[in-house]
Structures are given as structure tokens and as C-alpha cells.
Amino acid sequence: MSAAAEKVEDGVDFVRVCRVDELPAFGAAAADIYGQVVAIVRTKEGELYALDDTCSHANVSLSEGELDDHTLECWLHGSRFDIRTGEPSGPPATVPVNVYPVRVEDDEVYVGTTPINA
């Protein structure tokens, strides 16, 4: 998935990244937003979140990891990140990842270009 269009809401630039039906029913997919790769995550409840796709511990893709409720686990060393805040839940990762605002309009997913936890 890659960025396609831009709009502004609440002073934040949003970029269209995909349609909702292009995402897994549960889990994560990577999206490139102007060179920044983010993981777009859909929970079992259908909530959507976006966070940096790169683990802050080992520089591997978080979208390839396992989702458990609101926690995404890095597949390499088991670091776990809260998809709502970007905070790691324990070692080996100790540095949070950025989290981005997500909007859905007419089944199109938009991700903000500015992190909400920076």
C-alpha cells in the first residue's frame, strides 16, 4: 500500500493509504506514507490503528508480527507494543514507536502524517 491523496482535518495532514477491505480482518499490514512505513492494524472489534512498522529494538517489520488484543508483538525477539500508545510492555524493547491518527471515510483509510505521541 502506498500514499495516494492528502487532506487536512483538525490541523493534521491525512493521507489515503487503502480501502478498509484491503486490510486483513484481524492483524496488520504495512503501508508506505511518503517513505515512512507504518503498520495499519485492525483489531477483532474492527478498530484501526497506525504505528511505525519498525521495531524500536531490532529494526524489523512489526506488521509481520502477531496481534493480541491491543498488543503487537515483534516476530524476532518478542518485543510487544501497545497499538494505542506505541509503548513497549517490556524488554527487549524499551523505546516506544510512533502512533498516528487514523480516520475512515467512505471505506477509505486515512492516516495522519504527524505522530500523536511524539
Side-chain angles (χ1 to χ4, degrees):
M1 288 178 253
S2 62
E6 203 172 306
K7 63 188 208 162
V8 178
E9 291 179 18
D10 302 324
V12 175
D13 289 332
F14 280 82
V15 175
R16 182 204 169 275
V17 293
C18 64
R19 292 187 324 269
V20 172
D21 64 5
E22 293 176 308
L23 295 171
F26 173 73
D32 185 313
I33 301 176
Y34 303 128
Q36 174 66 40
V37 182
V38 299
I40 311 297
V41 182
R42 184 172 7 187
T43 66
K44 287 182 181 176
E45 295 78 22
E47 301 166 311
L48 296 179
Y49 296 90
L51 60 154
D52 284 339
D53 189 47
T54 305
C55 177
S56 61
H57 167 255
N59 197 29
V60 297
S61 175
L62 289 175
S63 62
E64 296 175 17
E66 296 293 320
L67 181 63
D68 179 24
D69 193 29
H70 288 95
T71 303
L72 188 58
E73 182 176 0
C74 177
W75 61 269
L76 186 58
H77 295 119
S79 294
R80 297 170 59 84
F81 296 89
D82 187 314
I83 61 174
R84 300 165 294 191
T85 66
E87 290 293 325
S89 60
T94 57
V95 176
V97 295
N98 289 323
V99 174
Y100 301 87
V102 177
R103 302 275 191 265
V104 177
E105 289 184 16
D106 300 321
D107 291 326
E108 301 286 339
V109 178
Y110 293 85
V111 175
T113 59
T114 303
I116 57 178
N117 64 332

